[in-house]
Amino acid sequence: MSDALLGQAQDGKTILPGASLGVMGGGQLGRMFVHAAQAMGYHTVVLDPDAQGPAGQASDAQIVAAYDDAQGLADLTQRVAAITTEFENVPAQAFEALSQNTRVAPPAAAIAIAQDRVAEKLHFQRHGVPVAPFAVVDSADNLQQVAADLFPGILKTSRLGYDGKGQVQVANLQELQQAWESLKQVPCVLEKRMELDFEVSVVLARGLDGSVVNLPVQRNIHHNGILATTLVLPGAIDADVQEQAVHVAKSIAAATHYVGVLCVEFFVLKNGQVIANEMAPRPHNSGHYSIDACDVSQFELQVRTLAGLPLLQPRLHSPAIMLNILGDLWFKDGQATAVAPDWAAALAHPGVHLHLYGKHEARKGRKMGHITITGPNAEAALGNALKVAGLLGLPQDFSHILA
């Protein structure tokens, strides 16, 4: 099949620029989708309960309503040709209802799986995707039956856990009991702690015809469960690890009959094994660098999959490092009032691209933006990224990557 035909809708109904596209959710991922769609000539409508959200600020129109509001959903379907989502916790039932009258991507079934760690682990296991050993903890009885070889482990809530929230490390059965009680005895998954070397992620796009393209594999560093740094540098990830991760990510997309942009996060173990951690049915923080470092960004891919446009394999034209910006930067040195970082000093370095999300209030732990540093080669990008991180007071624990 030629590149020109990749991604063509099976029903032949390509949604051309000039049409309106809808997005459920008003956060920064929705904002960047809106920017990509508008750059390609589409109009956008955002449905979000927050009238001041980042995506609504940028969109042509906004419907201020809850994600399960029947009138708001009906209004959205009447105003757009297709609908996507910018976060996985939009009610799967609402997305399923939208699909009865309007093209949606991703499918509601994939959203439902990603919303529930139990369903996600079982789905991975059923399709032969390697995962860490785990046990479901949703009753006092099966808590007592947890195998001893799962300790030490991490207890994670089945739903609504992200950026390190809803997770407790446990060393034995007694700590597991205490942790489960601290989490209000909601359904959880206990995962065995593995000997982790580093973490990677794969962002891919799958079209209506089943064709798949992917961004380069990203190497990620997290702090307190929140992504801090993404590196896309030649030599940062062994070719074998990249091949394993891409193969598994594509198999997950195929197993869910996926359409849209999907991110799969992986742990790379000390023994070289690659195991899946979780999936996100949307663009991902670790793929933001693609706006500045690739000829096709993850958000343009989201537009293309939704509209049934051709999918082209993204090309990395510049080595890149992404630094996540949290609200903590506004409160350095213990100061009580928010003070904006010195963006001018950071922007004085070559290859620095600043992206702020339009959030009105800086709070500790809140994602406020990101900086992507690109360069003509990996060493130049890494060197400038270390300088920018030092200027802003960001972690510099990525300096060893190419050592």
Side-chain angles (χ1 to χ4, degrees), residues 94-154:
F95 220 65
E96 175 62 32
L98 289 171
S99 72
Q100 302 305 307
N101 300 302
T102 310
R103 178 189 297 177
V104 301
I111 294 174
I113 292 170
Q115 287 177 348
D116 189 311
R117 280 198 174 95
V118 172
E120 185 178 60
K121 294 293 184 189
L122 295 175
H123 177 76
F124 286 172
Q125 193 176 62
R126 187 161 54 248
H127 291 282
V129 174
V131 295
F134 70 94
V136 177
V137 177
D138 59 4
S139 71
D141 286 342
N142 64 21
L143 183 148
Q144 294 299 325
Q145 295 170 11
V146 167
D149 62 4
L150 288 181
F151 297 107
I154 304 174

Side-chain angles (χ1 to χ4, degrees), residues 256-267:
T256 52
H257 304 288
Y258 199 83
V259 176
V261 170
L262 174 74
C263 178
V264 184
E265 296 182 83
F266 296 91
F267 297 137

Side-chain angles (χ1 to χ4, degrees), residues 324-343 354-370 392 394:
N324 213 16
I325 298 171
L326 302 182
D328 306 60
L329 282 191
W330 277 252
F331 299 94
K332 290 197 304 183
D333 304 321
Q335 60 202 35
T337 56
V339 176
D342 188 353
W343 303 126
L354 175 64
H355 298 262
L356 294 177
Y357 301 151
K359 297 182 179 180
H360 297 294
E361 180 185 6
R363 297 196 299 266
K364 291 183 178 181
R366 190 182 199 190
K367 293 176 182 175
M368 300 296 294
H370 70 270
L392 296 178
L394 293 166

Side-chain angles (χ1 to χ4, degrees), residues 8 83 198 201 216 394:
Q8 184 177 351
I83 302 168
F198 57 95
S201 59
L394 293 166

